[in-house]
């Protein structure tokens, strides 16, 4: 059985600046969501510490030849980093699992290899994105040259600590930038190992620095720092708005924002293989206990199969076994904190008061293993204004709405705030493509749900779900700025 003793996991204490651990006294406590216990302390960088990290990154960026290095050499370093990450799974996976909601089993099979493969993907772009030769008058040569920004500030959430960080850092480094990262203060440890491995692989010290702390002090100090030329952020829509405002005030500087979602699963009567579909839909809201930005949280199903599908989803919900991330037999992750579990429950209660019927779930497991484990919940008879439909819950709560025809289904799929992802399930290719065109979302999955390792397909939101893309060519391009050059060679 793959497991570990949580108390035995040693966590790095300090920031990572200039290629090494920089100890600082603890100011925060990091808890284990699996059993609710305090695990270890964490320093909190104030503006002076953030300044030291950014100055160090900027100096390293200028001093080292990271940006000017032959692109294939940069690619080689990033590929080596990916190899080291993959080989380090025995250390990285428990570090990831101990204070997060990521089960060890999944960290081994998915988070760590997915992180490594993402870094490889970005490495491949190092020498693939050039500039342009512009159409100019014949005695001139016009060039559009791409250059890195310098130091990119990255701020990431707690739900997939390694993967989210690797998408930000991989893209920025491949484009020749330096990065100062602030991981979530709830899940700060695994990225420290990631940074150590970067240096081991040959990323020059200082090119990837990490500072710890909360959003209000440390995060804000990063966004406002004059040497941070671009921000990249993943987290909630409210925080994204605050970061954009800070970037506007203290720059202006560009920001890539990957934000919240309330993604629909639109199911038509002719959807193939109801059993498989029930597993896809249940999995898309119970994976990581629904704490996934693209969680398929709104089931919108045509009347003919609504009851049968709901029944099969309910069976799967009830079969879950909650358990610690280090318990190999558990199938359901903890909620990140007691506070977040309370918030989930408050929205479920408000939804019921507003008329939603509870088909299953609706509360915490009473005999959970210590942390807060919320029962997979199905709420039906909800309308478009129900709080469980309107708000991002970020927990294992699925709402069910029914429709008669395509037009009504598409109208329900639209959300007034969010447009991150959507699932469409039908055997009719014409209907699937009409729905794809009709739904305003950054990603539409047809007859499947969730991403694969086809990293070339970017991810990002419409509306209040974000601005810009992670992954894909677009993610690397967002880390480059364009310089225009015009050469007059007319005079002999
Ligand atoms: P959050 O917004 O609370 O925090 C995210 C990060 O921002 C943390 O590191 C936090 O310390 C920092 N932060 C908070 N306030 C800040 C401020 N004023 N200035 C600078 N930094 C600040 O989000 P969370 O609870 O960690 O994550 C859950 C949210 O993330 C959900 O809304 C989820 O949908 C979203 N998310 C989106 C994607 C995506 O790709 N679109 C992926 C994962 C998570």
């Amino acid at each position: 059985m793959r497991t570990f003793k949580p108390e035995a996991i040693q966590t790095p204490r300090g920031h990572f600046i200039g290629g090494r651990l920089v100890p600082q006294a603890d100011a925060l406590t990091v808890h284990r969501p699996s059993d609710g216990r305090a695990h270890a302390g964490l320093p909190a960088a104030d503006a002076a510490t953030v300044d030291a990290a950014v100055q160090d990154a900027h100096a390293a960026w200028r001093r080292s030849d990271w940006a000017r290095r032959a692109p294939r050499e940069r690619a080689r370093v990033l590929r080596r980093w990916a190899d080291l990450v993959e080989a380090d799974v025995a250390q990285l996976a428990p570090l990831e699992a101990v204070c997060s909601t990521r089960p060890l089993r999944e960290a081994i099979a998915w988070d760590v290899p997915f992180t490594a493969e993402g870094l490889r993907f970005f490495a491949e772009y190092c020498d693939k994105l050039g500039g342009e030769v512009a159409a100019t008058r014949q005695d001139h040569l016009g060039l559009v040259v791409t250059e890195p920004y310098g130091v990119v500030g990255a701020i990431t959430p707690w739900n997939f600590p390694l993967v989210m960080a690797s998408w930000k850092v991989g893209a920025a480094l491949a484009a020749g930038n330096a990065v100062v990262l602030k991981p979530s203060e709830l899940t700060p440890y695994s990225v420290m190992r990631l940074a150590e491995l970067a240096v081991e692989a040959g990323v020059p010290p200082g090119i990837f620095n990490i500072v710890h702390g909360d959003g209000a002090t440390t995060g804000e100090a990063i966004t406002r720092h004059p040497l941070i030329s671009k921000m990249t952020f993943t987290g909630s829509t409210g925080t994204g708005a605050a970061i954009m405002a800070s970037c506007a005030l203290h720059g202006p500087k560009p920001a890539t924002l990957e934000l919240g979602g309330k993604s629909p699963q639109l199911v038509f009567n002719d959807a193939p293989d109801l059993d498989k579909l029930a597993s896809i839909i249940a999995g898309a809201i119970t994976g990581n206990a629904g704490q996934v930005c693209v969680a398929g949280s709104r089931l919108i199903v045509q009347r003919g199969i609504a009851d049968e599908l709901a029944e099969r989803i309910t069976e799967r919900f009830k079969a879950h076994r909650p358990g610690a991330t280090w318990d190999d037999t558990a199938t359901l992750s903890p909620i990140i904190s007691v506070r977040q579990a309370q918030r989930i429950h408050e929205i479920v209660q408000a939804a019921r008061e507003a008329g939603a019927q509870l088909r299953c779930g609706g509360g915490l497991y009473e005999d959970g293993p210590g942390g807060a484990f919320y029962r997979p919940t199905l709420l039906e008879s909800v309308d478009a204004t129900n709080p469980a439909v309107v708000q991002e819950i970020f927990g294992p709560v699925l709402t069910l709405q029914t429709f008669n025809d395509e037009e009504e289904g598409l109208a329900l799929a639209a959300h007034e705030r969010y447009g991150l992802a959507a699932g469409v399930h039908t055997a009719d290719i014409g209907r699937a493509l009409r729905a794809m065109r009709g739904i305003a979302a950054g990603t539409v999955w047809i007859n499947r749900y969730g991403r694969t390792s086809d990293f070339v397909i970017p991810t990002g939101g419409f509306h209040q779900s974000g601005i810009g893309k992670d992954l894909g060519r677009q993610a690397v391009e967002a880390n480059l700025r364009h310089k225009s050059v015009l050469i007059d060679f007319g005079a002999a």
Side-chain angles (χ1 to χ4, degrees), residues 156 158 182 185 215 233-236 239 258-260 293 392 394:
T156 48
W158 49 262
K182 190 199 87 61
E185 60 275 32
F233 169 73
T234 299
S236 61
T239 306
E258 298 293 340
L259 309 177
C293 56
E392 183 185 46
F394 227 55

Side-chain angles (χ1 to χ4, degrees), residues 269-352:
N269 282 341
D270 64 351
D273 195 345
L274 225 52
D275 248 342
K276 185 174 162 206
L277 179 59
S279 295
I280 290 175
I281 290 173
I285 191 66
T286 54
N288 207 30
Q291 300 163 115
V292 181
C293 56
V294 294
S297 53
R298 292 185 298 132
L299 174 59
I300 298 165
V301 54
Q302 206 164 10
R303 287 225 155 79
I305 57 166
D307 249 347
E308 203 180 333
L309 184 59
E311 199 45 51
R312 293 185 198 201
I313 292 169
T314 306
E315 277 166 24
R316 284 157 177 79
F317 277 8
K318 288 184 173 166
H320 270 290
R321 188 182 168 282
T325 55
W326 50 85
D327 174 352
D328 212 14
T329 64
T331 63
L332 189 72
S333 288
I335 303 301
I336 186 70
S337 65
V338 172
R339 203 167 116 229
Q340 169 62 2
Q342 280 162 352
R343 184 182 162 272
I344 293 171
H345 195 55
E346 279 162 21
I347 301 176
V348 169
Q349 295 288 72
R352 293 177 71 183

Side-chain angles (χ1 to χ4, degrees), residues 110-313:
W110 188 79
D111 300 68
V112 173
F114 210 68
T115 296
E117 203 49 27
L119 294 175
R120 274 187 203 110
F121 168 79
F122 288 120
E124 286 154 12
Y125 269 106
C126 287
D127 65 349
K128 303 294 184 295
L129 292 178
E132 286 172 35
V133 177
T136 55
R137 43 186 287 182
Q138 285 301 292
D139 57 353
H140 282 59
L141 184 62
L143 303 174
V144 183
V145 177
T146 55
E147 292 183 355
Y149 279 91
V151 187
V152 171
I155 298 181
T156 48
W158 49 262
N159 59 345
F160 294 91
L162 275 176
V163 170
M164 294 291 112
S166 68
W167 291 359
K168 302 299 193 193
V169 180
L173 261 53
N177 298 282
V179 175
V180 174
L181 167 74
K182 190 199 87 61
S184 169
E185 60 275 32
L186 305 180
T187 54
Y189 300 124
S190 54
V191 294
M192 295 291 282
R193 181 70 187 140
L194 197 64
E196 273 176 17
L197 294 172
V199 173
E200 205 178 315
V203 174
I207 288 294
F208 175 19
N209 285 343
I210 296 175
V211 285
H212 294 292
D214 65 9
T217 304
T218 313
E220 166 72 14
I222 294 173
T223 62
R224 65 192 303 156
H225 198 289
L227 287 178
I228 295 283
S229 311
K230 182 213 150 71
M231 280 301 303
T232 179
F233 169 73
T234 299
S236 61
T237 295
T239 306
I243 286 174
M244 196 170 184
S246 183
C247 286
L249 274 176
H250 303 288
K253 50 185 112 180
T256 298
L257 305 173
E258 298 293 340
L259 309 177
K262 193 73 206 178
S263 302
Q265 296 266 26
L266 184 60
V267 179
F268 291 90
N269 282 341
D270 64 351
D273 195 345
L274 225 52
D275 248 342
K276 185 174 162 206
L277 179 59
S279 295
I280 290 175
I281 290 173
I285 191 66
T286 54
N288 207 30
Q291 300 163 115
V292 181
C293 56
V294 294
S297 53
R298 292 185 298 132
L299 174 59
I300 298 165
V301 54
Q302 206 164 10
R303 287 225 155 79
I305 57 166
D307 249 347
E308 203 180 333
L309 184 59
E311 199 45 51
R312 293 185 198 201
I313 292 169

Side-chain angles (χ1 to χ4, degrees), residues 435-486:
M436 179 275 289
R437 286 272 193 234
I439 295 174
T443 298
V444 179
W445 286 299
I446 297 175
N447 292 331
R448 62 165 290 113
Y449 202 85
R451 50 178 76 87
T452 60
S453 49
D454 294 312
F455 296 113
V456 73
I457 297 176
T459 175
F462 286 7
H463 302 323
Q464 293 178 34
S465 288
I467 298 174
K469 300 288 183 189
D470 274 346
L471 296 182
R473 171 175 51 78
Q474 291 82 349
V476 187
E477 280 175 346
N479 283 283
L480 291 165
R481 54 187 170 188
H482 297 92
K483 181 177 279 176
S484 300
V485 182
L486 193 58

